[in-house]
Amino acid sequence: MSAPTPKTEPLLRKCVIPAAGLGTRFLPATKAIPKEMLPIVDTPTLQYIVQEAVSAGITDVILISGRGKESMIDHFDLAVELEATLKARGKEEEFRKLRAISDMVTVLSVRQKEPLGLGHAVLCARGLVGNEPFGVMLGDDMIDSEDPGIRQLARVFHQYKQGVVALMEVPDSETHLYGIAAGKEIADGVIQIDRIVEKPKRGTAPSNLAVIGRYVLPPDIFGILENQPPGVGGEIQLTDGLATLQKQQGLLGYRFKGLRYDAGDKVGYLKANIAYALKRPELRGPLLEWLGEIVKAEKP
Ligand code: UTP
């Protein structure tokens, strides 16, 4: 996979990738390996997310890292010895693939000393973001789209001059698992949010539009998060900060175009692996054949 090149002028310079969580749903795999480094086929989830940012023209990628998760930073650095060995063994293709990762972008990083919640993770980037709009891309949420998901949101941000969150319809039975937003559709796919709530109790969700892991936000969110008490699960929730932002200056939702995989969830992770493997010509045939066989064997 070669490094993506932005197709047009950048709409957004900076993005924050929160990736400091404990990844408890993937234990024991995540005891010593960051969840964001688990591979989708042969590429870490985090690399797909950084590639989306670079494709969208983002130049400053700010990774929020945590204790024991240094391999995420190493992944985007030069691997001098490994590259020399590949060269010496004539493995040009592998060498180029590796070099493309470190050439792609410079990843800046900040440690979140304790995983106090997504809102707190975003707040950790304040010093590196400064006083300009920025993207937030969750380190375990993948969007497969020709038009990078974060770029779709950046366009809406620039048109309306308001913060934007990515929205996706989910079944009523799943609304308690997400941040949920409700409001009025003001243009194709653009929703003026009038309510946003984190993990509403079953039967109380204001809609079935779930907030998923892409946001474009004004820097004013930092002042809000700084003063925000913990919410659901005792964590400093980004959604609670967004609810305040909505009241102060308005907030939009955008039904993004593309396929989304929650690689932080086991079923989502498996789906992403199958979907991305099916896109590889060398894997597609054998995988489909095997899937056909097991589906047949599973039938009563
Ligand atoms: P998740 O809630 O999916 O991540 O957060 P988690 O807490 O690591 O997962 P589980 O539930 O224990 O399995 C979404 C993204 O936000 C980051 C995570 O690393 C993940 O990429 N995050 C979450 C932080 O950076 N800091 C936090 O305090 C919480």
Side-chain angles (χ1 to χ4, degrees), residues 19-22 30-31 34 65-70 72 111-115:
L22 298 176
T30 47
K31 185 179 175 197
S65 176
R67 189 164 293 279
K69 301 189 88 170
E70 293 76 17
M72 298 191 298
R111 275 274 191 115
Q112 185 188 21
K113 290 180 187 156
E114 273 184 273

Side-chain angles (χ1 to χ4, degrees), residues 2-253:
S2 59
T5 40
K7 294 179 187 85
T8 41
E9 282 293 291
L11 288 167
L12 205 59
R13 282 197 326 138
K14 299 184 177 181
C15 81
V16 177
I17 305 184
L22 298 176
T24 54
R25 282 171 288 169
F26 270 89
L27 283 168
T30 47
K31 185 179 175 197
I33 299 170
K35 165 173 74 172
E36 297 78 4
M37 288 301 289
L38 296 179
I40 304 298
V41 186
D42 54 9
T43 301
T45 307
L46 185 61
Q47 188 178 324
Y48 289 99
I49 290 158
V50 172
Q51 278 166 343
E52 179 188 326
V54 174
S55 302
I58 288 169
T59 50
D60 296 23
V61 171
I62 301 160
L63 183 67
I64 310 300
S65 176
R67 189 164 293 279
K69 301 189 88 170
E70 293 76 17
S71 60
M72 298 191 298
I73 297 152
D74 292 344
H75 186 74
F76 295 95
D77 196 3
L78 268 185
V80 181
E81 284 168 17
L82 180 57
E83 287 189 5
T85 308
L86 291 173
K87 273 236 143 180
R89 293 187 184 170
K91 292 190 176 283
E92 276 298 322
E93 173 67 17
E94 288 78 1
F95 168 81
R96 269 199 303 275
K97 267 192 206 161
L98 234 58
R99 184 49 73 88
I101 302 169
S102 55
D103 280 351
M104 188 161 56
V105 72
T106 298
V107 173
L108 309 170
S109 80
V110 186
R111 275 274 191 115
Q112 185 188 21
K113 290 180 187 156
E114 273 184 273
L116 297 178
L118 184 55
H120 180 262
V122 171
L123 183 57
C124 290
R126 186 179 203 168
L128 288 176
V129 170
N131 196 27
E132 63 180 283
F134 64 103
V136 176
M137 307 173 74
L138 297 197
D140 59 354
D141 224 338
M142 300 171 67
I143 293 184
D144 185 12
S145 167
E146 261 295 299
D147 186 11
I150 193 70
R151 192 174 169 80
Q152 298 177 35
L153 266 61
R155 277 198 295 266
V156 177
F157 181 92
H158 279 276
Q159 189 178 348
Y160 294 90
K161 313 279 180 255
Q162 272 184 25
V164 194
V165 303
L167 294 178
M168 181 183 90
E169 263 176 45
V170 296
D172 291 340
S173 58
E174 290 179 15
T175 50
H176 65 288
L177 302 171
Y178 293 89
I180 298 290
K184 185 168 172 268
E185 187 143 355
I186 55 168
D188 190 23
V190 182
I191 287 127
Q192 185 72 60
I193 294 175
D194 54 34
R195 232 188 120 198
I196 180 164
V197 45
E198 181 63 21
K199 298 193 177 71
K201 291 207 169 69
R202 283 175 196 270
T204 68
S207 84
N208 62 350
L209 286 176
V211 178
I212 68 111
R214 298 291 182 276
Y215 314 73
V216 176
L217 300 174
D220 314 68
I221 192 72
F222 293 124
I224 295 173
L225 290 171
E226 188 179 39
N227 295 306
Q228 188 182 287
V232 174
E235 295 191 349
I236 303 198
Q237 297 286 357
L238 180 58
T239 310
D240 295 342
L242 295 174
T244 306
L245 186 73
Q246 182 265 322
K247 288 189 192 93
Q248 290 181 355
Q249 47 178 264
L251 180 69
L252 297 166

